[in-house]
Each structure stands twice: as C-alpha cells, then as structure tokens.
Amino acid sequence: MLGLVVSYVRRVMGGDDPAAGDDAVRRMLELAGERRDLAVIEDRAEWSPFESAVRIFDAAIAVTGDPLAVRKAGADIFRHYHSSEVIGLLLSMKEPEAVMRLITEFAAKQTTLCVHRCVETSPTHAVIVVEESRVALSAWCDYSAGVFSAIPEVFGYAPAVVDHVTCRARGDSTCRFEVRWRNEPAADPRDEIAALRDQVASLTARFESLEAMATELASVDDIDAALATITRRAAVAVRAPRYVLAVRLPLEQGYRVHHLGMSDEAAAELADVILADDPPDDGSLLVVDVASSLHRFGRLAAVHTGHGRFVASERRLLQAYAGHAAAALQTAAALAEARLQVRTLGALLDLSTTLVRTRTVDEAAQCLADALATVLECRRAATLVWDAATRQLVCFGRASDPAGSLPTDVTLSDEGARRLLEADEPLTVTPADGELGPVAALAGFDRALLAPVAARGALLGVIVVDVTSTCGSGLAALRDRLPGVAGLSATALDNATLLEQVRHQATHDPLTGLPNLRMLRDVAAAPADEPCGGRPVGLAAAGAEGLVEIARRDRPGSGRTAMLFVDLDGFKEVNDQFGHAIGDEVLVVASARLHEALRDGDEVFRVGGDEFVVLLRNVDGVAEATAAATRLQANVHEPVAVNGRAFTVSASVGVAVAEDGETVDSLLSRADAAMYTAKRAGRDAVRLAPSPR
C-alpha cells in the first residue's frame, strides 16, 4: 500500500521531470516523519505499522494538494504491480465476480487491520462491507475504493464505479461499498490494449522473476543466503504477513529456520508446528513440503493473522518456491556429501599413515583414540583392545574428558564377544543393555555406538563413540564412517599384535618366557621404573648402540647398576641322565625361583642353556649386590620335584658393579668372568668381579 502511494506521488508530481518526483517523495516522507529508508517502504515484502500508513496518507494529500490522491493511488495498484504474482492469481479467477467473492483473502494481502467481506455478488456488481475494523479514516476508505474500481481492469474491462454508501469515518457503524462494472471491453480500445499488455507483462514478469531467482541462487555459495532469498521472494509472490522456512540437509542434526515478519523465537515455535506430522490447516496457514526426489528437507509456510485466508492457486505458487528451495538444498546436500567424502578420505589417509608408524598395540590403540575425534567428527570416543586370554576389553585410549574416575577394563561374556564379532554394522547400546552395556560404561558414555574391530575371524577390539557428542556431519555420517575406521583399526591392531609376537619371540626365551641377551642390552639402560616389556624395545637401536654407558643412563642421584651372572651347577648331569624333558622342567622352576628372589625393578634374563643374568637397579654397592646373589643361591638350592623325583641344583654367581662410564658389554664380561672364578672355586659360590682396568 505505502509503496503504491510513494509511486503515485513520484509519477504525479514528477511528470517529465523524475528529479521533481523524487523531491516530492522526499518531502512527503519528511512531512510524515518517516525515518526508514525509501527502499524498505517500497519493498513489497515489508509490512508497516498502521501509524506510518496514516502519516504517509496525510502527507501524500498535503504534497499533491489532492484530497483524492490516496484513492487514485489505490486505483493504480494493478498497473503499478502488473509484475506481481497477485495479478497472476487474479487472472486465474477468470472474472471480476470471482475476485469479489474472494475479497477477504485478497484484501488480507494488504492489511490485517480489518476484514473485508463480499455480502452480495452478480456478474456485474458486488457489495463489500468492512468488519472488525480498527480503522476509522476516510483516506483509508478512499484507498479501498480505488482498489475495488481497478479490479475489472485486470480483465481488460472499464474501471468499476464504486459508491461508498456508509463509512465509519463519517460516524456510521460500518463501511459499505457498492461496486458496479460491465463485463465488456473498455470503450477506448487503447485501454483494452493496455490491459492486455498488462496481462502479458504480468505473465512475463512472473517468468522473469522465477528466472531471476534461479540466476541469483546459482550465484550464491552460502546455502543460508540462498534460503533467505527464497523466503524473501516467496513473500512477494504469496502475500501474507509472516513466513517461515524450516529445512535441514541430510547430514545435519538441527533445522535451519529462515523467516519474515516475526521474531526468532516465534519463528522457532512456528517451525515446530509446521514440521509436525500433521500440521494444522485452518485456511490461515499455508504449508508446503520442501522435497526433492532424493530427500525431504522440511517445509515452507505462509501465515495470515486474523481472518486472512489463502486462495487455492496460492498453494501451487508456494510449491514452486518450495521447489526452488529443494533444488538449492539438493545441490548443497550433494556438495556437502562430496566434501564429507573428501574429508573422510583425507582423515582416513592421515590415520592410515600414522598407524603405519605404530609398533605396539598400545601405540596403535592410543593413536586411534587420538584420531577418532577428527576422523569421526565427534567429541568423545575410546579405543578398547580385546584380551582373549582374560576375556577382557581394556581401555587403551580415550579421546574425551570423562567426569570422575573410570575403570580401565571390563570382562565380556561369551555372548557379548559373539555379538560384537558377528555384528555387520555399528551397535547402539547404553550402560543398561545386557551383555554389551558394560562396554558403554567402560568408555563412560550414556549412549554409545560400538564398532567391532576384527581380523582373520578374531575380535581385536572395539571403537566406542559417544552418540550424544556427535557434531558436524551428524549420526548418519558417523555410522557411515565407523566401518572404514574399524577396518583400518583392525589392520593396525592385527599388525601390531603380530609385530609384538615376533618381537617377543626374538627377545624372549621360548622355554622360560624370560627375556634373552638381545633384550638385555636394551633394557639395561632403561629407567628403573620401566620393567622389561613396559616400553617399545628398539632392537635395531640396541644392536647399533650396544655399548650404552650405564652410569650415564641411570637417573641422577640414584644408586648403581649391578649384574649377576648365574650358572646352574649340576644341571648338565640332570639333563644327561634323565633327558631334556626333565631338564627343561628343572630350568623352568629354577628360573621362577630366581625371579622370586628379586626386588621390584630387578630383572632376570636367560642368556644360555643353564646361564642367567640378573640386572640389579639402584644398589648401594658391592655389599647389596652380593646379598642379592646369596638370596638367589638359597632359592635355587631348594629341591625341585619332577615326576615324583627330587632334583637339586646349585648356582655359581659372578657379581659385577658398574663403574662410572662403563658399558653394558664390559659389565657383562666382568660378571661372566667372576662366575667362572666361582665355578673354579668349587661351584655353589659367589665371586666379585675386579674393577675394570
């Protein structure tokens, strides 16, 4: 309405001088005290408060000096807005009488302050009354009379004659208009030609509007900007005070809500209403689906207030704009899915590259846990490793910040292990769920997604993701990514397990399970609080760095390092007389007794058939090392029962205490020489190695 008045004043006051018309409009707005930009007032999607309309109406009459200026502006409505979608709707009515019957719906597209009703019609006349009006203004009625007179012109007829029979502004109880027209072309052929041109222009403008929107959408990179454009253009096509577009992409969890004519809070509430399975349909709410052949994205709605209603053809029009929204969203969805695939492949490649460098199960598990948050786009995840011997899942790494202390392992039932091994897809569980509930509890998640990690028909572990912490791509994308991550995890854990087995075989005695001489050179220089096997053992490094300076590697302020070289006296006779099977049993028991005699942090190595090396950490000196050797002798000397027979062996022990700067090989050589000295002294003896030269 106000844009039309502005246009009329500009045309009438400007004539052949556009600058004069613009100046008249500026004076009109100043007189009306209007502070909004002119573009906002002329925007067909914008609605204005009644007070602004009153001031602009009065200012238009004052600036033009014509008391009928507002009525004449109303009569210009369909000429000025010949490109409006409303014109297309009017033309679809076929005749003025049909438009008059639907005057309630059409009038509501310009004002919500009153209700227009057609109480009487014929092919050439109509009676319209204004009900529930909050307006008592003669200029307002003049505008309405001008609009009524212009309706027949849409169909190429002469303007209607409008009598304003009663008026609230004149003290009557209601406003009543009697409208008469002739269903025949205008007397002046030029008027008919102009009307036909307007109809063609309307259809052309509608096509160009859709084409322009398609072009605008094609140039918009941001999907939210595209959705805002669609909402704004729909507000021009289907006239209503309020609009809301609520949609989401397939990989998103929440809805994007765009709106006009309401607050963010009101739009959010209305979005919930229109997204319901069965949204209300009382005539004042027009809801259409935003969907493509592949996805259902959400809904678009236009909302009337008061008694405003929509005509049937407006649904088809709104569906056209919903179709544009669906096309834009489908393109965005395809791009999002492509970007997701690129991110996924990149993340998986980075993870694969990192996993190749891991050498132990511990390292692989922690590497996986650290990478899960990035690869899966989640905030909380954990890597659990399966120990088949103990039937336990052990938590080796958490990419999360759990509240409170959590357990480090959980025993899994045979049924739980079977379910994990046979699962074809990720499983959703809670701590209260049967056999697998403890897995979610171990990770510390209230609702978890479990992806079993298996290789060669065996369970290796489980990836656990907190479902409530998913972000970015959402739960559906998480389910798609998990199998790929589980596959990489299976390869990494399987390779790490095989590597640990090979490493253990290369560095441990198969009979007693004790570390061997190869392991000794690396472990000898490890800190005292890292027992054998407690860290990755660099075998290649140990070979190249065999002469490690022990004194330099010990922590500052700690005691000295000592070696005991132990040889079992009498073992050869047992082996020769009773066979290797009995000899092996005696060796196993003797090695266990050696270990039992040690302190925490001391270690035993089998370096030959019946030869052992004991590494003592942080001893005070020769006296403490010799006392340890004596304890070993006492333990070994106890009889060993095998197959009902008792066998007794003794031990000859050489003791060497490291000097500053001494190497592993030097210390080992001195202890070995001291052991032979003990054997030559009659066996079952302890001898101290002399200091190195």
Side-chain angles (χ1 to χ4, degrees):
M1 292 175 67
L2 302 190
L4 183 59
V5 172
V6 168
S7 175
Y8 175 79
V9 171
R10 181 185 291 116
R11 177 172 62 83
V12 170
M13 301 302 292
D16 296 331
D17 184 2
D22 291 338
D23 181 65
V25 168
R26 184 167 53 255
R27 286 188 288 114
M28 178 186 69
L29 296 181
E30 289 177 355
L31 186 60
E34 186 60 63
R35 297 181 178 180
R36 291 178 298 170
D37 291 339
L38 179 59
V40 174
I41 297 174
E42 291 190 291
D43 188 347
R44 281 176 284 170
E46 290 288 337
W47 288 67
S48 299
F50 171 65
E51 293 76 11
S52 294
V54 172
R55 291 193 297 268
I56 289 177
F57 284 177
D58 291 342
I61 293 172
V63 169
T64 61
D66 183 357
L68 296 179
V70 177
R71 176 167 183 154
K72 293 175 181 178
D76 262 359
I77 181 171
F78 300 125
R79 293 193 189 95
H80 181 72
Y81 289 138
H82 62 76
S83 63
S84 169
E85 297 288 358
V86 174
I87 304 299
L89 291 176
L90 293 176
L91 288 171
S92 70
M93 300 292 101
K94 306 299 185 183
E95 57 185 359
E97 182 185 4
V99 176
M100 297 297 181
R101 285 198 300 266
L102 292 174
I103 199 65
T104 301
E105 286 78 2
F106 284 112
K109 300 180 184 305
Q110 295 217 332
T111 178
T112 61
L113 292 173
C114 51
V115 178
H116 294 72
R117 294 198 187 282
C118 182
V119 297
E120 183 181 329
T121 61
S122 76
T124 59
H125 93 287
V127 176
I128 299 171
V129 297
V130 181
E131 301 174 347
E132 303 178 30
S133 177
R134 287 177 281 169
V135 180
L137 184 69
S138 59
W140 189 276
C141 295
D142 286 346
Y143 177 88
S144 299
V147 172
F148 297 153
S149 70
I151 290 175
E153 293 184 278
V154 174
F155 301 92
Y157 304 151
V161 176
V162 181
D163 291 329
H164 192 188
V165 181
T166 61
C167 181
R168 294 181 73 247
R170 297 197 298 262
D172 297 318
S173 60
T174 185
C175 287
R176 181 184 179 93
F177 299 87
E178 293 184 359
V179 187
R180 297 183 304 278
W181 66 93
R182 291 186 298 173
N183 286 337
E184 57 186 42
D188 189 340
R190 290 175 297 182
D191 291 340
E192 183 180 4
I193 292 172
L196 292 174
R197 284 177 176 171
D198 285 345
Q199 292 183 27
V200 172
S202 172
L203 295 173
T204 302
R206 292 175 69 188
F207 173 78
E208 290 176 346
S209 176
L210 291 173
E211 185 180 51
M213 185 174 70
T215 302
E216 185 176 354
L217 293 178
S219 64
V220 173
D221 294 330
D222 182 6
I223 184 60
D224 282 310
L227 296 175
T229 296
I230 293 169
T231 307
R232 187 178 65 254
R233 287 186 173 269
V236 174
V238 180
R239 300 296 293 156
R242 299 175 182 174
Y243 299 84
V244 64
L245 174 66
V247 292
R248 68 178 175 187
L249 294 171
L251 297 179
E252 294 180 340
Q253 293 181 292
Y255 279 87
R256 300 168 184 251
V257 179
H258 292 263
H259 57 88
L260 286 174
M262 66 186 81
S263 66
D264 292 343
E265 294 75 12
E269 292 178 2
L270 183 57
D272 291 337
V273 172
I274 68 172
L275 292 171
D277 292 338
D278 188 19
D281 185 11
D282 58 1
S284 64
L285 180 64
L286 181 58
V287 183
V288 296
D289 288 331
V290 178
S292 68
S293 59
L294 299 177
H295 300 289
R296 182 180 180 276
F297 300 103
R299 285 178 174 149
L300 171 63
V303 187
H304 266 307
T305 57
H307 294 273
R309 295 294 185 270
F310 295 97
V311 297
S313 55
E314 286 183 298
R315 176 175 294 276
R316 295 192 298 272
L317 191 55
L318 197 63
Q319 285 173 336
Y321 284 87
H324 280 286
L329 287 163
Q330 185 60 55
T331 301
L335 289 173
E337 289 173 0
R339 293 187 184 112
L340 174 61
Q341 290 178 359
V342 170
R343 290 201 310 272
T344 299
L345 291 175
L348 291 176
L349 180 60
D350 291 342
L351 176 58
S352 178
T353 302
T354 304
L355 288 174
V356 166
R357 297 195 293 267
T358 61
R359 303 178 59 199
T360 68
V361 172
D362 301 35
E363 285 182 342
Q366 186 59 56
C367 174
L368 286 168
D370 293 341
L372 287 180
T374 300
V375 176
L376 299 177
E377 293 188 333
C378 64
R379 290 186 293 273
R380 303 180 67 202
T383 306
L384 313 181
V385 176
W386 175 243
D387 187 338
T390 62
R391 312 295 293 175
Q392 286 184 325
L393 280 170
V394 182
C395 187
F396 272 85
R398 289 187 179 94
S400 60
D401 185 17
S405 59
L406 294 174
T408 57
D409 56 66
V410 64
T411 301
L412 203 60
S413 66
D414 291 341
E415 176 62 20
R418 184 191 63 79
R419 281 187 60 193
L420 284 173
L421 190 58
E422 296 178 356
D424 295 328
E425 60 183 18
L427 305 173
T428 303
V429 301
T430 68
D433 290 343
E435 299 87 357
L436 297 180
V439 180
L442 175 62
F445 304 152
D446 293 333
R447 186 164 176 261
L449 200 61
L450 309 185
V453 178
R456 294 181 286 120
L459 182 66
L460 300 178
V462 182
I463 294 174
V464 190
V465 180
D466 182 9
V467 173
T468 61
S469 76
T470 56
C471 53
S473 303
L475 185 58
L478 179 62
R479 285 184 174 276
D480 290 340
R481 286 186 175 196
L482 264 177
V485 176
L488 281 177
S489 304
T491 301
L493 291 178
D494 191 35
N495 288 344
T497 301
L498 293 175
L499 184 60
E500 285 192 347
Q501 291 174 354
V502 171
R503 183 185 301 116
H504 189 275
Q505 292 170 0
T507 59
H508 287 74
D509 172 43
L511 176 63
T512 63
L514 294 176
N516 57 21
L517 180 61
R518 190 175 185 181
M519 187 73 154
L520 172 62
R521 286 191 170 88
D522 189 71
V523 173
D529 57 354
E530 292 189 14
C532 177
R535 65 185 179 93
V537 179
L539 296 180
E545 199 179 346
L547 301 180
V548 179
E549 294 190 0
I550 298 174
R552 294 181 185 176
R553 291 289 186 90
D554 281 341
R555 290 178 294 180
S558 63
R560 302 168 68 184
T561 299
M563 273 190 188
L564 310 182
F565 205 116
V566 182
D567 182 88
L568 298 183
D569 303 322
F571 173 75
K572 185 176 184 302
E573 289 77 0
V574 173
N575 213 32
D576 291 344
Q577 183 176 355
F578 298 99
H580 291 290
I582 297 296
D584 288 348
E585 290 287 342
V586 172
L587 273 178
V588 170
V589 174
S591 65
R593 289 179 176 176
L594 288 173
H595 196 275
E596 290 170 0
L598 300 179
R599 307 165 304 170
D600 291 339
D602 297 338
E603 298 179 66
V604 183
F605 302 81
R606 185 185 180 195
V607 296
D610 58 356
E611 294 178 334
F612 300 85
V613 169
V614 176
L615 184 64
L616 301 178
R617 298 280 191 178
N618 301 328
V619 295
D620 291 336
V622 172
E624 187 175 359
T626 303
T630 302
R631 290 197 305 273
L632 293 178
Q633 281 186 308
N635 270 26
V636 170
H637 201 270
E638 292 291 328
V640 178
V642 180
N643 293 340
R645 296 179 61 92
F647 299 91
T648 302
V649 294
S650 59
S652 295
V653 184
V655 179
V657 178
E659 301 291 341
D660 289 344
E662 188 173 10
T663 65
V664 173
D665 283 348
S666 171
L667 186 62
L668 183 61
S669 178
R670 290 199 298 123
D672 186 18
M675 181 271 295
Y676 276 105
T677 300
K679 285 185 108 32
R680 287 194 297 270
R683 300 186 178 185
D684 194 17
V686 174
R687 290 294 182 268
L688 180 65
S691 298
R693 295 177 182 178

